[in-house]
Amino acid sequence: MRKRYFGTDGIRGLANGTLLTPELALKVGQAAGRHFLNGGHRHRVLIGKDTRLSGYMLEQALTAGFTSVGMDVVQVGPMPTPAVALLTREMRADLGVMISASHNLYQDNGIKLFGPDGFKLSDADEAAIEAAIDEAVPLAASAAIGRARRIDDARGRYIHAVKASFPEGARLDGLRIVLDCAHGAAYRVAPEALWELGADLTTIGAAPDGFNINAECGSTHPAGLAAKVRDAGADIGIALDGDADRLILVDERGEVVDGDQILALISRSALVSGRLKGGAVAATVMSNLGLEYFLEAQGVGLLRTPVGDRHVLATMRAHGLNVGGEQSGHLILTDYSTTGDGLLAALQVLAVLVAEGRPASEVLRLFQPYPQLLENVPVSRERLLDHPGVQAAIADAEAELAGRGRLLVRPSGTEPLIRVMAEAQDEGLVRRAVGQVCEALRAAA
């Protein structure tokens, strides 16, 4: 059944738009709170957020919803999404909430929910909460209304946990790093963690004002980071996104390194050290064929999933894997975290740099990517992919790519777009395939 509120990664939309309003946040708090009220203990929900202006509004509305059904609320302020997942589990909370629209600009926001185990909610839990949002939820008696409090040591707890993933005794002394925090949730924790490990650190994108999150900075806009790395003569650049669950790198030459190359490095490191579980890695259908062939040469399988880190994680859990990720920079390392964590993944890369003593441009180029082209086509109506002209164009492109590459056409889970991607050794073939499908989509729109 199609969900009305939840998308591929929680509830997301324009703040104060037609969907994401304080009224909805209040109802989500009440519905989710009632769903997780079980047992005789005092119930608790932990709420974190990124730095966008609407976070204050949604935080208070959610708090009102949770407390009205009898749940205590712990507010931790601006904190990365993986920190909320970690703290939910460590503080024995019944539920965790992250208020963020990830890599989107400040106008958007979202609500992500985590269960007591620190993992994102199952489809069944989301469906149950959806059903309750539009119903009258029983409120707590006056004496049973929840309490809300803000805690100040959450940042230190997360920094300690992330640093624990770094090799014992290793340090970052002498390593010149430029860090872009995207004016987002990690603007304090990420610089502190790297400084404590001894890095020679230059930080950009660490002055949030409620409006500048992800604005021409962070993992989706690494050009500024690349320029800074070159100007500073740095060894590596690290770019996080607004809620710090993504990682994109820049080598010492100022060249961008995507999630596929990072996944290749972390996978090889885990394989060599005997830490890779399940004999395979999980990645989405968007990951480059070059990654697949690199892993195959290492004797490691690649299990492809639909786009979305929740699909990657589901495959990892089903097959007993501990490494997975997306080309966009979501890296999931379940030995340390229950969700994507950009800072944690960066530390795994930095550990290899320190151990090997080679430039980032050498360490982070493990395979030659196949030419790949992705274009986004705005859509104004549903079921555009069912149009006969679009289906014919897709069939023609697939026939031309058969045996030489692949085509992927899919609707975005977060925006009104259809994404068209092709890859093959022949770059001209890639451009023709994407072009003809996009042309058909625009003609049918």
Side-chain angles (χ1 to χ4, degrees), residues 323-394:
V323 177
E326 295 188 272
Q327 187 183 69
S328 60
H330 281 111
L331 284 305
I332 305 176
L333 310 175
T334 53
D335 285 346
Y336 311 109
S337 180
T338 57
T339 189
D341 191 326
L343 177 57
L344 190 150
L347 289 180
Q348 310 316 300
V349 173
L350 295 176
V352 176
L353 280 183
V354 169
E356 297 192 6
R358 296 188 293 131
S361 57
E362 296 179 12
V363 173
L364 289 166
R365 305 288 175 183
L366 295 179
F367 65 87
Q368 182 62 42
Y370 272 44
Q372 187 181 80
L373 179 62
L374 170 66
E375 287 195 16
N376 297 317
V377 181
V379 295
S380 57
R381 61 188 181 93
E382 294 185 3
R383 308 193 67 82
L384 194 61
L385 292 179
D386 293 336
H387 189 280
V390 173
Q391 291 185 337
I394 292 173

Side-chain angles (χ1 to χ4, degrees), residues 214-377:
N214 299 313
E216 299 300 322
C217 61
S219 63
T220 51
H221 299 279
L225 174 64
K228 190 69 174 179
V229 167
R230 289 191 295 266
D231 292 345
D235 298 302
I236 192 170
I238 297 170
L240 306 174
D241 70 334
D243 68 337
D245 63 354
R246 289 193 189 197
L247 169 69
I248 294 293
L249 297 174
V250 171
D251 67 22
E252 80 283 359
R253 299 172 180 171
E255 296 181 3
V256 176
V257 180
D258 69 11
D260 283 346
Q261 295 282 4
I262 301 169
L263 186 58
L265 178 66
I266 291 176
S267 301
R268 189 192 66 174
S269 176
L271 177 67
V272 170
S273 63
R275 294 179 290 109
L276 188 69
K277 298 176 182 176
V281 170
T284 76
V285 291
M286 297 299 292
S287 280
N288 197 277
L289 279 171
L291 171 64
E292 184 172 340
Y293 296 147
F294 168 79
L295 292 173
E296 184 180 290
Q298 309 293 313
V300 177
L302 178 66
L303 303 184
R304 289 192 181 268
T305 78
V307 172
D309 62 315
R310 68 181 298 150
H311 298 298
V312 173
L313 182 58
T315 296
M316 292 173 67
R317 298 181 76 180
H319 294 271
L321 312 183
N322 62 340
V323 177
E326 295 188 272
Q327 187 183 69
S328 60
H330 281 111
L331 284 305
I332 305 176
L333 310 175
T334 53
D335 285 346
Y336 311 109
S337 180
T338 57
T339 189
D341 191 326
L343 177 57
L344 190 150
L347 289 180
Q348 310 316 300
V349 173
L350 295 176
V352 176
L353 280 183
V354 169
E356 297 192 6
R358 296 188 293 131
S361 57
E362 296 179 12
V363 173
L364 289 166
R365 305 288 175 183
L366 295 179
F367 65 87
Q368 182 62 42
Y370 272 44
Q372 187 181 80
L373 179 62
L374 170 66
E375 287 195 16
N376 297 317
V377 181

Side-chain angles (χ1 to χ4, degrees), residues 44 46 74 76 79 83 86-88 90-92 149 151-164 189:
R44 176 185 299 158
L46 183 141
V74 175
V76 297
M79 197 68 60
L86 169 77
L87 293 168
T88 297
E90 289 202 345
M91 294 185 66
R92 308 298 193 270
R149 59 176 295 197
I151 62 172
D152 298 322
D153 66 342
R155 189 168 73 249
R157 295 189 192 195
Y158 173 65
I159 291 171
H160 175 77
V162 169
K163 285 171 54 186
V189 295

